Amino acid sequence: MSFTLSGFSIPSANTGAAKHVKVLVLGSGPAGLAAALYAARADLEPVVLTGMELGGQAALTHTIENYPGFPEGVGGQELGELFQKQAERFGAKVEFDTAQGVDLSQRPYKVTSDNGAYLADTLIIATGARPNHLEIPGEYELTGKGVSYCATCDGWFFKEKKVVVVGGGDSALEEGLFLTRFASSVTIIHRRDSLRAGKVLQNRAFSDPKVKFVWNSVVKEVVGAEKVTAVKLRDTVTGQETLLETDGVFIFIGHTPNTQMFQGQIEMDALGYITANHLMETSLPGVFVAGEVADSHFRQVITSAGMGAAAGIQATHFLEKEATSA
Ligand SMILES: Cc1cc2nc3c(=O)[nH]c(=O)nc-3n(C[C@H](O)[C@H](O)[C@H](O)COP(=O)(O)OP(=O)(O)OC[C@H]3O[C@@H](n4cnc5c(N)ncnc54)[C@H](O)[C@@H]3O)c2cc1C
């Protein structure tokens, strides 16, 4: 039996003994669903555990305008639904369930979830990442209404508008400079009096006439009703509070990969991203990775889906090779 939530088809809870599957995909974002599509087309009947965010981060955004094949753009949620339908058409099973623990010490790999347990011959980890939030009033309420975590995705909507960028690292400057293509002004708000970003980026930012800096300041509140109209700033030296008018707030204070569950069991980099080679192979045989959980650089639907396809293909090769050498 299944029920439907906003177009996504959600199967009922899985109960009982650990279920043995050939391919278990963790995550229902672009990476996970693309991996499931490829594994399904190889007749491997993959099972996808969706996690709490059906369709992943992409489903949180109103319109995606840079995914090829949709010249007029496509709703973020709609694209997730299409990914899911396509994978299911070839036999993928999408379970509304969240993995809570993994045992990667031996194959088949054991995954325990809210609704049961799985034994997986191959595992595709596509649990994504989340942009760090400021956790201030107005931030969540105005996300998609002027608050954004992705300049490549949303910059276009700010043609000839004033925007602020929060952060002082490489991504804040890179994304801030990217925004100068659209915005009339880009004000970078940084809590210190110097930047962490690389020197070359700093020089480019300092010499760009559209880029301004507000030093020693933190954003205390995003202000606006239907859309962003201003940010409330607090000077970290004087404590003085001021209001800065703006149309957009771009927050670049880092990302956190969803990898806590795997810590100590698989190789990761210093920031907690799972490391993989170009074949999406991890440090463990039969464990593949795809999307933002392994990618702190591109962070796009198309790149994540591409990595998912690669992981699905490689899981297929892995099982074929194992079957022929048995
Ligand atoms: C507001 C916003 C707007 C964006 N706009 C665009 C855009 O216009 N164009 C573009 O190309 N990109 C855009 N992006 C970026 C894009 O959404 C991501 O790059 C893409 O979704 C990453 O895909 P992913 O599958 O790797 O991970 P995610 O989309 O992060 O998906 C991760 C999945 O893993 C699941 N999960 C997590 N933990 C568990 C667990 N324990 N068990 C099971 N499942 C789990 C989650 O529920 C989710 O389904 C935007 C991002 C945001 C936040």
Side-chain angles (χ1 to χ4, degrees):
M1 203 171 94
S2 69
F3 63 96
T4 298
L5 174 74
S6 305
F8 281 101
S9 151
I10 305 170
S12 59
N14 158 42
T15 48
K19 193 174 167 194
H20 199 144
V21 296
K22 288 178 225 143
V23 181
L24 183 66
V25 181
L26 302 184
S28 61
L33 291 173
L37 170 64
Y38 275 73
R41 283 179 56 80
D43 261 347
L44 294 172
E45 298 167 324
V47 171
V48 179
L49 304 192
T50 60
M52 293 310 289
E53 267 179 19
L54 272 170
Q57 295 172 66
L60 299 175
T61 193
H62 185 255
T63 312
I64 295 190
E65 302 206 306
N66 54 5
Y67 192 77
F70 296 91
E72 306 305 325
V74 58
Q77 190 179 313
E78 187 191 347
L79 186 61
E81 290 163 13
L82 291 171
F83 278 0
Q84 178 178 342
K85 276 196 193 117
Q86 198 171 355
E88 285 175 333
R89 188 180 144 218
F90 295 102
K93 274 208 83 190
V94 179
E95 300 283 354
F96 188 52
D97 196 1
T98 300
Q100 296 297 352
V102 290
D103 178 356
L104 305 182
S105 60
Q106 56 178 13
R107 290 184 67 221
Y109 298 116
K110 185 162 187 193
V111 174
T112 47
S113 67
D114 283 346
N115 295 336
Y118 291 85
L119 290 171
D121 293 333
T122 61
L123 188 63
I124 298 178
I125 301 172
T127 47
R130 53 193 188 278
N132 295 339
H133 293 95
L134 291 167
E135 307 293 349
I136 53 170
E139 181 182 14
Y140 286 99
E141 298 86 324
L142 293 164
T143 294
K145 298 172 183 168
V147 174
S148 170
Y149 303 87
C150 179
T152 319
C153 318
D154 297 330
W156 192 87
F157 299 110
F158 292 86
K159 275 190 176 158
E160 294 310 316
K161 306 228 176 201
K162 287 186 281 190
V163 301
V164 301
V165 165
V166 186
D170 280 348
S171 10
L173 256 59
E174 260 170 34
E175 306 270 340
L177 285 163
F178 179 80
L179 287 168
T180 60
R181 296 170 190 223
F182 313 100
S184 56
S185 75
V186 176
T187 304
I188 295 175
I189 297 165
H190 188 41
R191 60 189 163 157
R192 301 201 184 86
D193 61 358
S194 61
L195 299 164
R196 273 181 294 112
K199 212 67 200 145
V200 174
L201 272 174
Q202 290 198 30
N203 290 342
R204 278 181 55 208
F206 290 142
S207 59
D208 192 308
K210 279 192 181 176
V211 178
K212 299 172 199 160
F213 287 87
V214 175
W215 301 106
N216 294 322
S217 293
V218 289
V219 181
K220 294 288 293 171
E221 185 181 337
V222 183
V223 182
E226 290 302 301
K227 60 186 176 88
V228 169
T229 53
V231 282
K232 190 184 276 180
L233 303 180
R234 184 171 59 80
D235 189 305
T236 55
V237 181
T238 64
Q240 196 187 352
E241 294 200 344
T242 50
L243 215 55
L244 178 68
E245 277 185 21
T246 187
D247 301 299
V249 184
F250 285 81
I251 299 166
F252 303 116
I253 52 168
H255 274 71
T256 304
N258 297 319
T259 54
Q260 246 172 328
M261 192 172 32
F262 309 101
Q263 247 154 29
Q265 301 199 55
I266 195 166
E267 262 178 41
M268 296 180 188
D269 68 14
L271 297 173
Y273 289 87
I274 294 174
T275 47
N277 63 15
H278 71 288
L279 298 177
M280 302 296 113
E281 292 164 335
T282 66
S283 55
L284 296 174
V287 180
F288 302 87
V289 75
E292 286 200 15
V293 73
D295 166 33
S296 60
H297 184 72
F298 293 111
R299 293 193 189 121
Q300 293 294 290
V301 174
I302 178 78
T303 50
S304 301
M307 290 168 83
I313 292 169
Q314 288 311 114
T316 307
H317 287 335
F318 180 89
L319 290 172
E320 276 169 2
K321 211 165 151 190
E322 197 169 55
T324 51
S325 63

